Amino acid sequence: MSRYTTMGCGSSTSLVYHSSDSWSCSIPVCSVAAGLQRLTALTLFVCFFQDMDLIDILWNQDIDLGARREVFDINHRQKEHELRKQLQLEEEKRLHLMREQEKALLAQLQLDEETGEYIPRPPPNAPVEPAVTPLEVTQNVGFTQETGGSMSFDECLQLLAETFPVEQNQSPSVCLDTPPVSVPASSNMMSPEPTALSPAALSSGQLTPPQRVSPDLEEAWMELLSLPELQQCLNMQMEDTLQTTTYPLPTSAETQTPSYPDYPPVQTPIFNPLTSISDAKTNSLNVGPAEFMNTFDGSVPSMPLLDAFRQIKVDAPQLDTSFSGEDFGGVFYPPTEQEECSSQPGQEESKRMCDSPNKVAFAHMDLYSLSPGDSVNRSKQSLTAEHLDSDSGFSTNGSPNDRSVYGSGSFGCSDSEMDEMDQNPGSAESDYSEMFSLNFEPEHFMASNSVTELSRPPQQPEKKPKQREGDPAEESGNEGTPFTKDKAKKRSDVRLTRDEQRAKTLNIPFTVDMIINLPVDDFNELMSKHQLNEAQLALVRDIRRRGKNKVAAQNCRKRKMENIVGLEGELDSLKEERDRLLNDKTKNMKNLKEMKKQLNSLYLEVFSMLRDEHGNSYSSSDYSLQQSTDGSVFLVPRIKKTFKSKENHPSPL
DNA sequence: AACTATTGTCATTGA
DNA sequence: CCTCAATGACAATAG
């Protein structure tokens, strides 16, 4: 991560007079440029790519829950690795380009001698270049603006105040109003550890960039998101965010909006979580702050970050005015405006972005959080629902269709219980949300509590929906992700849906997950608590049996694959050993041959030295040397051996 | 259309 | 006898 540090620090500190050891702190949120933030963010991404191996490991740990052949397929892994390398290269290229652009941008800045800050030069054509050139950069805005704030918002505020004294009366109230939660959340985004990611940030803006930027980033993002720990962290932070709902956001928004009437209408739709959701209903959100606030009243939980971002964006225009240089805003903030969707009908692209799942996700969360008194469960449920929704939503084919596809799959089952469902296939879609709110939420909730959650490998199918939660973008662009997760998810969805539907049809009061994963005692207790009729009992038993068997089958297959892999390894090692033994054999044969040769020569030598009583040498054809068991050597006549041995005993040498 | 891979399910077996 | 896990076999599905 040295590169990470140097690049981050180098580019930032060179621009901002305020320096710090930590590069994350040196990232200017308001004073320098969004472009810088984009740069650092992209640097971060590159670093993420560098850590892809780690991610890969984690990923595989996750995937390993179910045995798939690819896990053991080295070629497959190598392909992935190459692909990743390629992505890395591309990313570095992009980064290089960014730096070039950054230089160009800096060229348009001049040093303010009073403040020591770099400020944009007045030339009227200044904004043109930055506004146009960093198209790709522009697309990162959602990401960088959030992630760029590695410093706390107070720090940002301070910096902003120092940089633009004019704004002091406005900014403090704004920024201080921003929830403390959003600060670590957004700042953590810059940290390479996935655990630091903020769910809200992810849901709102973080998810967008990969979708907007490039498939590479998207893929990387998805892989990041698919990390179980990350998701866990996301959930945790989401809960935190949900619990911290007491900030007076509306006030800040209200103070902001009227103050700068030029911008708010434009800005609000960008980060308005409800815009995309309630698009159909309240498409006129940009009409006025009052409506805006009304719309937001219920969505407080998710607002902190959004509001913060909106404030950043709203602050931007202020900066413009304060510096009386529209060019300034043109230089630094065109990206934000490019992202604005609802206010600019011509931009279908950005509009589509606004409909992107993260926004939808946010909306769902907010909607769910509307119901008071429901905290954790609700948040989890909303997570589930939102991503299920966003999942299909992001497929750009219209969520209802996708859902109905799934739904029809579930209804297509031939079970008798499903007959009545088949009769009104139209209910598939309508029942969907209800179904998941009814069954899915407790399922996940239970899953987190249940014992089996700990021994997760068998739970793969149940876990897949969670994976979907984690990365709504996955549905659209996981062609790069290994292990055919997508398909698996769809199937598991169908499967779960089927069981869910069955349970729902018979009004089973528990979740499928409970039915399957509960320990026997708890399960029996649960059964005894509720009065279930025969059909219900049978179904519950079937669901439990099927669920357990499903898990068992997965385990079995995993074991089988592992066995195969183990046997293959064993085969390899045995082959190696065989080769080694063959080598030994030939070597030994050679040695033996050599020794025989030596023995023969020695024999001849010894034999030639033997003399009889007359001093004559023995004929090798008539005599031979033989060694007895006790080590003594005898001269034995070859022919007439029998006679000679009878008549005269061999003479010991 | 045939083939393959994946996954879910059922039946059976043994602990 | 019941429960459960393991496993072979089959079917459905998607690519």
Side-chain angles (χ1 to χ4, degrees), chain A residues 182-234:
Chain A
S182 67
V183 174
S186 59
S187 65
N188 284 339
M189 282 310 296
M190 293 304 290
S191 135
E193 299 110 0
T195 52
L197 292 173
S198 147
L202 283 171
S203 307
S204 66
Q206 302 298 345
L207 286 178
T208 22
Q211 296 157 9
R212 299 174 192 172
V213 174
S214 72
D216 311 341
L217 292 183
E218 183 178 338
E219 185 185 349
W221 197 253
M222 288 184 310
E223 294 204 36
L224 280 175
L225 285 176
S226 62
L227 293 178
E229 298 155 11
L230 170 61
Q231 293 180 18
Q232 195 176 0
C233 182
L234 293 189

Side-chain angles (χ1 to χ4, degrees), chain A residues 290-574:
Chain A
E291 293 181 27
F292 174 80
M293 292 323 301
N294 289 340
T295 316
F296 268 117
D297 272 345
S299 59
V300 175
S302 67
M303 279 305 295
L305 270 179
L306 301 179
D307 206 57
F309 299 142
R310 198 176 61 243
Q311 285 165 5
I312 290 176
K313 287 170 177 280
V314 171
D315 282 346
Q318 297 172 5
L319 301 181
D320 290 352
T321 57
S322 69
F323 276 88
S324 72
E326 295 177 2
D327 302 340
F328 187 87
V331 170
F332 292 109
Y333 300 101
T336 65
E337 294 185 1
Q338 288 192 11
E339 276 200 357
E340 296 156 3
C341 33
S342 59
S343 64
Q344 299 176 5
Q347 300 180 354
E348 291 185 6
E349 168 87 3
S350 52
K351 204 163 194 172
R352 215 193 33 180
M353 289 187 210
C354 285
D355 291 335
S356 63
N358 23 346
K359 306 284 196 285
V360 178
F362 245 110
H364 276 254
M365 185 178 66
D366 297 338
L367 291 176
Y368 276 118
S369 61
L370 286 180
S371 70
D374 246 346
S375 55
V376 179
N377 293 5
R378 257 329 188 180
S379 73
K380 292 202 173 191
Q381 168 186 356
S382 62
L383 261 181
T384 312
E386 82 191 28
H387 288 293
L388 283 170
D389 195 348
S390 63
D391 190 3
S392 54
F394 191 72
S395 65
T396 69
N397 291 331
S399 48
N401 290 341
D402 284 359
R403 276 190 244 158
S404 64
V405 166
Y406 284 18
S408 66
S410 66
F411 294 126
C413 82
S414 58
D415 291 63
S416 58
E417 296 100 337
M418 303 303 297
D419 287 346
E420 60 182 277
M421 310 297 290
D422 291 334
Q423 290 169 1
N424 57 342
S427 67
E429 188 179 340
S430 58
D431 287 346
Y432 205 77
S433 58
E434 182 190 353
M435 181 181 72
F436 280 107
S437 65
L438 177 70
N439 293 330
F440 245 71
E441 169 249 314
E443 171 178 336
H444 293 305
F445 180 57
M446 287 300 301
S448 61
N449 296 337
S450 69
V451 182
T452 50
E453 170 75 280
L454 299 176
S455 57
R456 201 60 213 180
Q459 302 294 329
Q460 194 181 7
E462 281 79 20
K463 196 175 184 177
K464 276 166 189 163
K466 283 186 180 177
Q467 289 175 346
R468 309 181 73 180
E469 304 170 19
D471 41 359
E474 183 179 280
E475 191 73 18
S476 69
N478 68 342
E479 65 276 356
T481 60
F483 313 134
T484 65
K485 283 174 62 185
D486 199 300
K487 178 183 163 187
K489 269 183 304 183
K490 283 181 183 175
R491 295 184 63 85
S492 74
D493 267 1
V494 171
R495 185 63 255 155
L496 278 177
T497 301
R498 200 148 79 185
D499 276 340
E500 297 275 350
Q501 286 290 350
R502 285 171 176 159
K504 189 186 172 221
T505 306
L506 292 191
N507 291 323
I508 306 288
F510 342 104
T511 68
V512 168
D513 197 59
M514 289 168 68
I515 294 172
I516 295 173
N517 295 322
L518 236 47
V520 191
D521 293 342
D522 294 347
F523 176 72
N524 290 333
E525 191 181 337
L526 196 68
M527 292 298 109
S528 61
K529 271 184 195 169
H530 296 77
Q531 300 295 331
L532 299 179
N533 58 34
E534 278 302 312
Q536 283 176 321
L537 278 175
L539 178 61
V540 166
R541 272 196 290 266
D542 276 352
I543 288 175
R544 186 172 171 86
R545 177 177 51 78
R546 272 196 294 264
K548 289 214 171 283
N549 187 244
K550 188 165 70 180
V551 171
Q554 285 165 349
N555 283 336
C556 184
R557 283 163 180 148
K558 180 186 172 189
R559 263 193 307 275
K560 195 186 280 184
M561 294 307 299
E562 284 171 348
N563 277 339
I564 290 173
V565 171
L567 287 174
E568 282 173 352
E570 201 175 330
L571 184 65
D572 287 345
S573 62
L574 285 175

Side-chain angles (χ1 to χ4, degrees), chain A residues 230-249:
Chain A
L230 170 61
Q231 293 180 18
Q232 195 176 0
C233 182
L234 293 189
N235 288 341
M236 286 168 52
Q237 293 206 19
M238 179 67 79
E239 289 165 18
D240 286 345
T241 311
L242 290 174
Q243 286 163 3
T244 320
T245 60
T246 53
Y247 2 87
L249 292 169

Side-chain angles (χ1 to χ4, degrees), chain A residues 54-297:
Chain A
L54 177 60
I55 292 172
D56 191 32
I57 292 169
L58 294 171
W59 171 260
N60 284 335
Q61 285 177 354
D62 186 29
I63 290 304
D64 195 36
L65 299 180
R68 292 192 179 85
R69 192 66 181 91
E70 295 91 328
V71 177
F72 312 102
D73 191 343
I74 294 175
N75 291 334
H76 189 86
R77 300 291 303 278
Q78 284 175 341
K79 277 183 196 168
E80 283 175 45
H81 190 63
E82 289 171 7
L83 190 68
R84 214 165 285 127
K85 273 185 181 174
Q86 213 173 341
L87 294 180
Q88 234 172 333
L89 276 176
E90 286 179 18
E91 211 47 46
E92 280 174 51
K93 279 184 197 167
R94 192 195 307 273
L95 195 63
H96 189 68
L97 194 67
M98 298 286 184
R99 261 184 260 151
E100 298 290 322
Q101 292 173 348
E102 210 55 51
K103 282 179 189 168
L105 185 134
L106 278 176
Q108 298 176 0
L109 297 178
Q110 66 181 18
L111 186 65
D112 187 329
E113 291 167 2
E114 288 182 1
T115 63
E117 282 280 344
Y118 283 94
I119 61 172
R121 287 184 178 138
N125 56 347
V128 176
E129 205 256 343
V132 177
T133 45
L135 277 183
E136 283 188 338
V137 183
T138 302
Q139 298 179 331
N140 282 332
V141 158
F143 175 81
T144 50
Q145 290 240 344
E146 296 165 11
T147 57
S150 191
M151 52 206 307
S152 74
F153 252 100
D154 287 342
E155 289 172 304
C156 293
L157 175 62
Q158 205 172 348
L159 183 59
L160 180 64
E162 291 170 3
T163 311
F164 310 108
V166 184
E167 300 307 315
Q168 265 180 338
N169 51 346
Q170 299 292 345
S171 313
S173 64
V174 172
C175 293
L176 289 176
D177 281 344
T178 56
V181 171
S182 67
V183 174
S186 59
S187 65
N188 284 339
M189 282 310 296
M190 293 304 290
S191 135
E193 299 110 0
T195 52
L197 292 173
S198 147
L202 283 171
S203 307
S204 66
Q206 302 298 345
L207 286 178
T208 22
Q211 296 157 9
R212 299 174 192 172
V213 174
S214 72
D216 311 341
L217 292 183
E218 183 178 338
E219 185 185 349
W221 197 253
M222 288 184 310
E223 294 204 36
L224 280 175
L225 285 176
S226 62
L227 293 178
E229 298 155 11
L230 170 61
Q231 293 180 18
Q232 195 176 0
C233 182
L234 293 189
N235 288 341
M236 286 168 52
Q237 293 206 19
M238 179 67 79
E239 289 165 18
D240 286 345
T241 311
L242 290 174
Q243 286 163 3
T244 320
T245 60
T246 53
Y247 2 87
L249 292 169
T251 351
S252 64
E254 268 171 344
T255 55
Q256 284 292 330
T257 16
S259 304
Y260 309 96
D262 294 343
Y263 294 92
V266 185
Q267 309 288 349
T268 43
I270 307 171
F271 290 113
N272 180 352
L274 284 182
T275 312
S276 51
I277 313 162
S278 53
D279 238 353
K281 303 176 189 173
T282 59
N283 238 348
S284 59
L285 273 177
N286 52 351
V287 170
E291 293 181 27
F292 174 80
M293 292 323 301
N294 289 340
T295 316
F296 268 117
D297 272 345

